[in-house]
Amino acid sequence: MNEQAKCGLFTRDGAQVPLQGVEVSGELLGGHARVRVTQRYRNEEKKPVEAVYTFPLPSDATLSAFSMTCAGRRVAGVVKEREEAFRTYDTAITEGHGAALLDQERPNVFTAQVGNLLPGEETLVEVEFLQALTAEEGSVRWMLPTLVAPRYMPGAVQGDRTAHGSAAPTTRVPDADRISPPIGNVDYGLRMSLLIDVGHEVVVESPSHALDITREGTRLRVGLKPAPAHKGRTEVALDRDVVLNLRNANPDVMLTPVVTHRKAEGPGTFALTVVPDLLNLAAAPPRQEVVFVVDTSGSMDGESLPQAQAALRLCLRHLREGDRFNVIAFENSFRTFTPAPVTFTQRTLEQADAWVAGLRASGGTQLLEPLVAAMKAAPDGVVVLLTDGQVGNEGEILEAVLAARKSGRVFSFGIGTNVSDALLRDLARRTDGAVEFIHPGERIDDKVVAQFSKALAPRVTDLEVRFDGVEASELAPATLPPLVDGTPWTLFGRYAQAGTGSVTLKGRSGREPFSLTVRLELPALSDRPVVEKLWAAERIRGWLDAGLVGRRAEAMKERIVQLAITHQLATRYTSFVVVEERQGERRASGTPETRVVPVNAPAGWNMFKQGQLEGGLAPPQDVDGDYDDAEPVTGSGIMMPVAAGPGGITRPTTPVRRVTPPSAVSRGGAMPPPPPSVSAPAPMSAPMPIQAEARDGFGGGAPAKERESAKKKGGLLGRLVSAAMPQKSAAAPSADRARREQKKDKAEAPPEAFEALYEAEESRVLSVAESVGGLAAEDVGSVLGRQLANGLWAGTGEGPEAVRQARATARVLLVLLREGITSSHPLHGAQVKKAVDALLALASQLTQAPDVAELALGVAWLVAAGPRTRGRIEQAAKPLPGLDGRLADTDALRQHVETLATR
């Protein structure tokens, strides 16, 4: 019998696996979440067994408690050094007692072993974790992953197995067998009951699940509704992330600036949170160097790649003339827009538009080489990564990027469900960047453009902190991250004596000094123990990031173990273990057989549905073609899901090697838009070649009409970006087929065709820009997508080019103003500010056209935010009598520019 069958995805007599269901409960409060994940096991066999379940938790979670309930008796777990915890567990199982062990495999991957499950007895294993919650622009997002998805495992097979995963250890992922739970058809599901209590009413929405919401005063009880197809069930499948969005009209209410915890004896702990307003910091930002890295693997097919292309087009228009940029597209290999970053000009913008439009989705997720190439190209710049992939070599990628980096920052976007969130969060944290997760049902382009604006937003670096009137120590993080405009920033610390004082943050924004002072009250008594655990977790994260070697590394490990045991936290070096001592008949004899709990295939990963047979998935066949990142890969090939035969016995897994023709592989270098697709020759030994379908959101089966309806719900913001994407006909009988034909035609078109396409679009937009009345009815996104590299819009009509551009730009800004879009707009404010700066630079060339100068500067004043920018406008407007006195009267100024715009 093969090892997988012996481990038991199903029991020998066809019984279900021991895991019966997962329940999530807890509270989302103003500053943090306390969440309990309860796993319910029941042994339907006639002898004791051991269950092994690999599951995810948020990578920024702090594990705070672990317990086991057997025969109505609850036993709390304790934290011990990892090997000591295992020995405690192993001894208890050998002696016939009940026990459970919780190991951290990765920051977001955990394994629970539950030993000596007795026949017919139910056992509950509860994991509790904490998360810090911060509000950003009045919104809080909470996410819970529900399965460990298959991932790409590079390297040659090497090393002994230490766990029961589908993948074998490799030279580059030595713990591959610990992070690759088998895929199978499972019957257990998820139930949830979360209490949301932030002291006032909020709106709760979810892009991932239908919600069942009960109001209890200002508090909400939130559960999950099963899909209509699962009528009668009380659970949902564990096949996608659970995502909750909490919205509030007042962005400051959810943020408590200072939260503390202190008992009568011992030191106190505080968490200080500030949201910096840096919009009014002055002046010309330094020249940027930006490299965009976009995933074009097969799983990006469907709506993901077109929206990513639209996002890239708008992001490019946030750059300023003189900035340098490049675009890298990757799958099995990678290719670049140009061999090295080029200066942002109108010509390079148009060329990049055409190159991006030619991208198409195919292949797998080889992330290491393109990401390192991007960082080497911009070691002090900004790298923007868009990917939906899972990889196993997160540590290798992180270390390689950090080695190539000087002061560069990585801004990552995880697209879809079950993306490598631990890697993306680590990249953001270690490079002072940011990360955003875009779940099925949410627009990619809106979020990417908003986050990219933050990448170029004002920031304060070289931070120092000074306390006055109070003393603080053991700060975490030890290396202070930069302050970024509008982004919550948190500092943890300890204090020995109560008192009231202040804390001052000093740094530099570009060449200018910056200082911010916040009042700080540290009480003698305070009961918020969560703060203490969050401080300890942040302290440990900083120690782990230190990268020490030799004796210092061993000393650091001892400090981590000591702090984790003191505050009962699970880490890389510590584990939770719980033992239920048994007597008499409940004490088992012999060694229990192991039952490995299978997990669902991720929602929308349709390749797992290929070739299904009764009882499970069909055994894989050897095929040629590209890797597909939705399949777990090892150095010896792609490990397909384990198939169950009659009676539930699993079939052997056949390793599959997919081969890419050498001529198709590139390790960088400039390439034109990708050539037309060429079908690979049929494999000689594959009577049933497996074609991997693309992931197209979760569920995979939403009718085209519903998808179109969903896209239209974005309101103005949806319209603003929609024109940057190919439009689909609502009357088309087959939207998917039309999209494929459209993509095929684009792929086969020569570069000249793309140039002609954009010239035609530009002429249409320009005609709209010259007619104020017509622009309001047009799709505003098409106008934003035609902003020139210099920040202006091209114009027609009378006068020199400067006058035509100023007139067209003022009219565009006026229409955006009517829609509420100014320089402080969270999505398009950067483009508006770029236009205002361009008009100011152009003002000296408008002396012969005073009406155009008044129109341009008047509209600039109305859409500008910040006294410094308005001060520059006021200075430039002094020679213009038409604006005299009107800048102080918004209504009069608005009426004046509306009149000028119609001339």
Side-chain angles (χ1 to χ4, degrees):
M1 183 179 295
N2 66 74
E3 182 180 354
Q4 289 286 358
K6 186 168 63 178
C7 290
L9 294 179
F10 302 89
T11 61
R12 287 181 179 174
D13 57 1
Q16 292 183 344
V17 295
L19 182 61
Q20 301 294 297
V22 177
E23 299 176 10
V24 173
S25 60
E27 305 84 32
L28 270 61
L29 307 176
H32 71 276
R34 182 193 295 270
V35 181
R36 292 170 291 279
V37 178
T38 303
Q39 299 162 4
R40 183 164 40 88
Y41 297 89
R42 186 178 181 84
N43 179 10
E44 301 289 0
E45 298 188 57
K46 298 178 180 179
K47 57 189 175 183
V49 298
E50 176 193 43
V52 177
Y53 179 37
T54 300
F55 63 97
L57 290 176
S59 60
D60 59 344
T62 299
L63 266 69
S64 55
F66 182 62
S67 67
M68 180 172 68
T69 303
C70 303
R73 180 186 173 208
R74 184 179 184 274
V75 184
V78 295
V79 171
K80 296 185 177 183
E81 189 274 330
R82 183 169 179 139
E83 287 305 311
E84 182 184 354
F86 173 75
R87 287 193 297 270
T88 301
Y89 170 82
D90 188 60
T91 299
I93 297 304
T94 302
E95 295 178 353
H97 301 294
L101 178 70
L102 182 65
D103 283 330
Q104 176 182 307
E105 314 294 356
R106 298 289 176 83
N108 60 340
V109 179
F110 297 82
T111 296
Q113 293 177 249
V114 188
N116 280 334
L117 291 169
L118 297 178
E121 188 170 288
E122 184 172 86
T123 299
L124 302 180
V125 172
E126 183 179 282
V127 180
E128 181 181 279
F129 67 87
L130 307 172
Q131 275 180 293
L133 296 178
T134 56
E136 192 167 344
E137 296 182 1
S139 178
V140 168
R141 162 165 291 205
W142 179 79
M143 181 187 76
L144 177 71
T146 63
L147 80 153
V148 177
R151 61 188 67 202
Y152 175 67
M153 307 286 193
V157 171
Q158 177 179 298
D160 297 329
R161 280 180 170 270
T162 61
H164 305 284
S166 297
T170 75
T171 53
R172 294 168 66 181
V173 191
D175 63 345
D177 58 329
R178 304 193 66 86
I179 58 173
S180 56
I183 301 292
N185 293 321
V186 300
D187 290 328
Y188 62 85
L190 170 69
R191 287 185 293 188
M192 186 181 80
S193 178
L194 281 180
L195 180 66
I196 297 176
D197 184 7
V198 294
H200 56 87
E201 293 188 3
V202 293
V203 176
V204 181
E205 301 167 324
S206 174
S208 63
H209 292 80
L211 299 181
D212 184 6
I213 301 177
T214 304
R215 186 171 296 278
E216 303 173 1
T218 60
R219 307 190 307 176
L220 297 178
R221 178 75 61 180
V222 179
L224 302 177
K225 286 183 179 179
H230 299 151
K231 188 176 181 180
R233 297 197 61 171
T234 60
E235 301 175 325
V236 300
L238 288 105
D239 62 356
R240 69 196 67 181
D241 299 338
V242 177
V243 183
L244 298 182
N245 292 326
L246 284 63
R247 289 192 293 106
N248 175 53
N250 185 346
D252 298 323
V253 172
M254 293 185 191
L255 280 176
T256 303
V258 182
V259 181
T260 61
H261 174 71
R262 190 169 191 263
K263 297 180 181 179
E265 298 179 357
T269 308
F270 68 86
L272 168 70
T273 300
V274 298
V275 183
D277 181 6
L278 309 178
L279 188 62
N280 297 332
L281 289 181
R287 294 302 181 195
Q288 300 278 358
E289 195 152 42
V290 182
V291 179
F292 299 94
V293 183
V294 58
D295 187 342
T296 58
S297 61
S299 56
M300 288 285 289
D301 199 11
E303 297 297 329
S304 294
L305 185 58
Q307 288 195 31
Q309 290 168 311
L312 284 175
R313 288 197 64 204
L314 290 176
C315 285
L316 286 171
R317 283 157 177 79
H318 284 65
L319 299 177
R320 297 173 178 270
E321 284 190 305
D323 289 346
R324 294 172 61 80
F325 78 101
N326 205 350
V327 186
I328 297 177
F330 73 93
E331 18 94 13
N332 295 339
S333 57
F334 72 92
R335 53 198 176 277
T336 62
F337 165 56
T338 56
V342 294
T343 302
F344 182 71
T345 65
Q346 185 60 33
R347 178 165 182 76
T348 56
L349 171 61
E350 293 170 356
Q351 291 171 339
D353 276 343
W355 192 85
V356 168
L359 298 175
R360 68 183 186 282
S362 67
T365 308
Q366 288 273 14
L367 179 57
L368 174 62
E369 290 84 0
L371 197 53
V372 171
M375 186 55 77
K376 287 182 176 178
D380 293 303
V382 172
V383 173
V384 179
L385 169 66
L386 293 87
T387 181
D388 70 344
Q390 274 276 11
V391 294
N393 57 328
E394 296 107 318
E396 181 185 26
I397 293 172
L398 179 63
E399 293 307 316
V401 170
L402 295 178
R405 168 184 181 260
K406 293 181 180 177
S407 61
R409 294 172 283 138
V410 179
F411 290 78
S412 302
F413 300 90
I415 299 170
T417 189
N418 304 301
V419 73
S420 287
D421 74 302
L423 171 63
L424 301 190
R425 290 185 191 276
D426 281 345
L427 284 169
R429 186 167 54 89
R430 299 289 295 275
T431 67
D432 294 332
V435 61
E436 184 85 50
F437 295 98
I438 305 165
H439 293 268
E442 298 182 310
R443 292 196 65 93
I444 294 174
D445 36 21
D446 285 6
K447 289 204 162 192
V448 171
V449 173
Q451 188 65 267
F452 184 65
S453 297
K454 294 180 182 179
L456 304 183
R459 62 181 46 229
V460 176
T461 58
D462 302 328
L463 274 179
E464 298 177 355
V465 59
R466 189 185 75 243
F467 292 86
D468 293 310
V470 292
E471 293 186 6
S473 61
E474 299 181 87
L475 302 180
T479 302
L480 299 180
L483 289 172
V484 181
D485 181 50
T487 301
W489 182 95
T490 300
L491 177 68
F492 295 94
R494 304 275 268 180
Y495 64 96
Q497 300 293 331
T500 300
S502 63
V503 56
T504 300
L505 301 175
K506 289 189 174 183
R508 303 193 69 81
S509 176
R511 298 179 180 177
E512 297 190 14
F514 171 87
S515 179
L516 172 68
T517 300
V518 179
R519 186 173 181 270
L520 188 62
E521 184 176 349
L522 303 178
L525 293 174
S526 180
D527 188 22
R528 295 294 291 274
V530 167
V531 177
E532 195 168 59
K533 287 183 177 287
L534 293 175
W535 164 81
E538 186 63 40
R539 188 88 166 150
I540 289 171
R541 270 192 286 268
W543 288 343
L544 289 172
D545 290 344
L548 301 179
V549 296
R551 296 172 64 186
R552 293 202 64 200
E554 285 300 315
M556 182 67 76
K557 177 180 175 181
E558 292 177 6
R559 281 194 292 272
I560 291 173
V561 170
Q562 182 179 359
L563 188 63
I565 291 176
T566 299
H567 295 279
Q568 292 292 284
L569 303 176
T571 69
R572 182 189 304 174
Y573 304 124
T574 57
S575 298
F576 272 105
V577 64
V578 58
V579 175
E580 182 217 9
E581 294 188 358
R582 296 173 177 173
Q583 304 292 332
E585 294 182 354
R586 297 192 69 249
R587 189 162 177 172
S589 59
T591 302
E593 291 190 19
T594 301
R595 302 289 180 251
V596 179
V597 177
V599 301
N600 277 307
W605 289 26
N606 294 329
M607 65 286 298
F608 289 107
K609 301 176 184 176
Q610 287 288 342
Q612 284 187 346
L613 300 176
E614 184 177 356
L617 296 164
Q621 306 290 329
D622 290 335
V623 296
D624 289 332
D626 292 334
Y627 283 107
D628 193 292
D629 64 317
E631 299 162 330
V633 183
T634 73
S636 62
I638 300 176
M639 306 301 293
M640 295 294 287
V642 178
I649 303 300
T650 55
R651 304 172 187 266
T653 300
T654 304
V656 180
R657 163 77 61 187
R658 292 195 172 188
V659 180
T660 302
S663 60
V665 177
S666 166
R667 290 297 169 195
M671 289 185 65
S677 299
V678 179
S679 300
M684 297 181 64
S685 60
M688 287 179 55
I690 296 176
Q691 169 116 16
E693 294 182 8
R695 303 193 305 234
D696 189 8
F698 64 83
K705 183 177 180 181
E706 292 181 13
R707 292 198 301 267
E708 289 296 323
S709 175
K711 289 199 300 181
K712 293 177 182 177
K713 294 180 181 178
L716 174 65
L717 295 187
R719 299 200 312 274
L720 290 178
V721 294
S722 61
M725 301 165 51
Q727 300 297 306
K728 293 193 287 186
S729 171
S734 175
D736 289 341
R737 185 185 310 155
R739 186 182 71 235
R740 287 194 296 268
E741 290 298 323
Q742 184 183 48
K743 289 173 64 179
K744 180 179 177 182
D745 292 343
K746 279 192 170 187
E748 294 176 351
E752 294 79 7
F754 293 112
E755 300 284 353
L757 170 67
Y758 286 109
E759 287 177 7
E761 182 186 343
E762 180 177 8
S763 64
R764 180 179 70 83
V765 173
L766 294 184
S767 65
V768 173
E770 289 301 314
S771 172
V772 174
L775 181 58
E778 291 287 328
D779 191 343
V780 183
S782 63
V783 177
L784 286 169
R786 297 314 307 164
Q787 187 176 25
L788 301 176
N790 62 6
L792 301 169
W793 275 262
T796 59
E798 300 178 353
E801 183 179 35
V803 171
R804 297 197 305 269
Q805 289 187 348
R807 183 190 301 118
T809 300
R811 288 174 170 171
V812 168
L813 293 179
L814 186 57
V815 173
L816 294 178
L817 177 64
R818 293 171 186 157
E819 299 286 358
I821 300 174
T822 67
S823 65
S824 60
H825 191 273
L827 185 60
H828 300 294
Q831 282 185 264
V832 173
K833 189 174 188 305
K834 180 178 178 180
V836 169
D837 290 341
L839 287 175
L840 282 168
L842 205 64
S844 61
Q845 303 178 45
L846 304 178
T847 54
Q848 301 303 314
D851 283 358
V852 175
E854 289 181 17
L855 172 64
L857 295 178
V859 173
W861 175 277
L862 291 172
V863 300
R868 296 194 181 188
T869 300
R870 284 193 163 186
R872 293 168 59 205
I873 296 172
E874 190 174 15
Q875 188 68 25
K878 282 184 176 180
L880 302 174
L883 294 182
D884 185 28
R886 286 196 171 102
L887 295 183
D889 187 340
T890 301
D891 291 338
L893 179 62
R894 180 71 176 266
Q895 184 177 359
H896 182 60
V897 297
E898 292 279 6
T899 301
L900 292 174
T902 59
R903 293 182 182 175

